[in-house]
Amino acid sequence: MAEWRQYYQNEDDEVEEDEEDSGGDYKISGRDSLVFLVDASKEMFIKSEDGETSNFDMTMQCVRSVYTSKIISSDKDLVALVFYGTEQSKNPRNSFKHVYVYHDLDSPGSQRVLDIDKLLGEKGAQFAEKTIGSGETSLGEALWCCSNLYSDIKLRLSHKRLMIFTCRDDPHGGDGAKDRQARTKAADLKETGVVIDLMHLTKPGGFDVSLFFCDIVSPPEDESELGLQIEPCRKLEDLQKRVRAKELKKRSQSRLTFSLGEGVNLAVGVYVLARTATKPSAVKLHRDTNEPVRTKTRYFHAHNGGILLPNDMKRAQVYGKKQIVMEKDEVDEIKKFDDPGLVLMGFKPMDRLKLHHHIRPALFIYPEEEQISGSSCVFTALLLKCSEKNVFALCRYIPRRNTPPRFVALVPQREELDQSQTQATPPGFNVIFLPFADDIRTLDAHVGPTASDEQVDKMKEIVHKLRFKYKSDSFENPVLQQHYRNLEALALNMLEPEPIEDLTMPKVQMMDARLGPLAQEFKDLVYPPDYNPEGKPAAKRKTAESGGGAAEKKPKAEISEEELKNHVANSTLGKLTVPVLKDACKQFGIRTTGTKKQELIDALTMQLSK
């Protein structure tokens, strides 16, 4: 009999599944593709007014960061790098002049990162001048070449995006024929599902988008898209932020029906805004060829060694001294509570939601107009009313079939824009998972000495001095950063990995400068005059009374056959520990097929029931 727990997952497994599923499945949805179309004209190589870096160098640094992030997060995606306005020509069949395909559409790798490193800095500008040069510009030819790159790909692509990097708002210098050709090719690309974005860079006199590029770029895909930015990018951080916001495809974890009442339904998409960053799982390789290997699991009969198929196995649970045997379909039917979706139960004021109700990372829901027409209108009205009345919606949430329901709180979140009028916070509902009553325990708090009012006031001063504005994205996991730096050093043949700064370590000097004499004053109030916190700790007590010897091992707990039979008769073998059950099996010469507790109990029950 198969063990019940193999088929009944607990809620921790569901949390892990939700986080893993958030990345999407390439086999089902296809791969994302991204083409960088970079202007290689002489204006791109002119350094900025402060003399720090040129627009071309800033673009290459941004492209390199996208390559490295793709290698870590989504190495199945396809990326290409194409230069236009070049002197040299290099493209499939060399049918387009002044277009240089530096990288074809393919998965990112270490060699591509090394190729981009050759284009960075002063040496990179000299290398680019020798390799590609600067010549005439025909954006229409470049877009046509990019269209051929997409058509040559035989894989299924879920999302196609093209980013244009330039500092020239009129690339053809008023040539109407070239402008019309570029607009025509851009329209053809957009008809095939390619999204064209403009990452315009700063130039003397300002960048006028309305001159030419407003007809080239794609309109916003939905209300949450940033759309065309009017202000050009002046710093690398701004360019990376804008590229990251565009190239990261917002994949919904699932699409569900949100029921507000009888006959009133709307469609919402469930998104994961934050997830735990972990090291990628290890990949098993063949010893001789280093090729990835696939693992297969087969079940064999314990007595005759025959292979067991899924329909040969049944599920069992001991209840009332009887073994209840069920088929897999029956187990699934027991686990099913209702169809997946959100069901509105009511509304509660925001002050009823406590901080200790947080039990796992929250999700985020946003309307899906394509699924049910009118969902955005109803969703927006509900969001505004909940925000105005300062209430949250209490709902029942079932993420998928055969999963237990959870109660969640839908907390409204208004849209927020930053200084550049870019969306910093999207509008929607945060899905807060609520604990059940059994999850909350009452603990007996340890009663210690009570601090005096003077000590409390002094500590308040210390806390006030050490306060700072906390941002979660300001602190990177040092273990993960060191792990990826090591991998990067191995892949790029670096002598040693780049050093990292551990931002989680306290800044002792800054803290001492802020506190001044407050720390010593607090010590004088709390500790006695002769207290030394850095003194030697007390010596450890010897483990054995005989002095210095090792402690005696505890004797093994033996159990008689009569006691075991009583446990079997009363179905109380589960109260015994695993070591006791193992010793009992050895004591009576019972062979077991496994070491799990249920397997030991089954073996003892079968032997002693004869």
Side-chain angles (χ1 to χ4, degrees), residues 111-140:
Q111 185 57 47
R112 292 196 165 198
V113 177
L114 292 173
D115 293 340
I116 294 178
D117 287 341
K118 298 177 182 178
L119 301 173
L120 297 176
E122 289 285 347
K123 294 183 179 179
Q126 297 173 4
F127 178 80
E129 185 177 356
K130 294 178 182 179
T131 307
I132 59 179
S134 298
E136 296 182 12
T137 299
S138 176
L139 187 59

Side-chain angles (χ1 to χ4, degrees), residues 94-114:
N94 287 327
S95 53
F96 305 103
K97 293 182 179 181
H98 309 294
V99 179
Y100 195 98
V101 178
Y102 198 70
H103 288 151
D104 287 322
L105 259 180
D106 203 351
S107 300
S110 59
Q111 185 57 47
R112 292 196 165 198
V113 177
L114 292 173

Side-chain angles (χ1 to χ4, degrees), residues 20-27 29 251-252:
E20 291 175 0
D21 292 346
S22 62
D25 191 347
Y26 289 105
K27 295 181 181 179
S29 62
R251 280 195 182 98
S252 62

Side-chain angles (χ1 to χ4, degrees), residues 134-164:
S134 298
E136 296 182 12
T137 299
S138 176
L139 187 59
E141 296 275 310
L143 293 175
W144 197 345
C145 178
C146 294
S147 177
N148 288 348
L149 290 180
Y150 280 115
S151 61
D152 291 341
I153 296 298
K154 304 303 179 184
L155 300 171
R156 181 179 179 182
L157 301 178
S158 65
H159 192 68
K160 297 183 284 188
R161 189 175 290 274
L162 186 146
M163 293 186 180
I164 303 175

Side-chain angles (χ1 to χ4, degrees), residues 84 190 203 207 221 258 293 335 349 376 407 446 455 510 540 543 576:
Y84 72 97
K190 286 183 277 190
K203 62 171 290 230
F207 195 106
E221 296 179 74
F258 185 8
V293 296
K335 290 165 60 178
S376 298
F407 285 107
H446 174 70
Q455 293 171 347
M510 183 184 295
K540 291 184 178 179
T543 55
L576 303 179

Side-chain angles (χ1 to χ4, degrees), residues 68-100:
T68 53
S69 66
K70 288 280 188 185
I71 290 174
I72 294 172
S73 61
S74 49
D75 60 335
K76 302 293 184 183
D77 290 353
L78 306 181
V79 188
L81 176 59
V82 181
F83 295 105
Y84 72 97
T86 61
E87 184 179 357
Q88 305 295 328
S89 300
K90 179 190 172 186
N91 48 76
R93 297 175 291 278
N94 287 327
S95 53
F96 305 103
K97 293 182 179 181
H98 309 294
V99 179
Y100 195 98

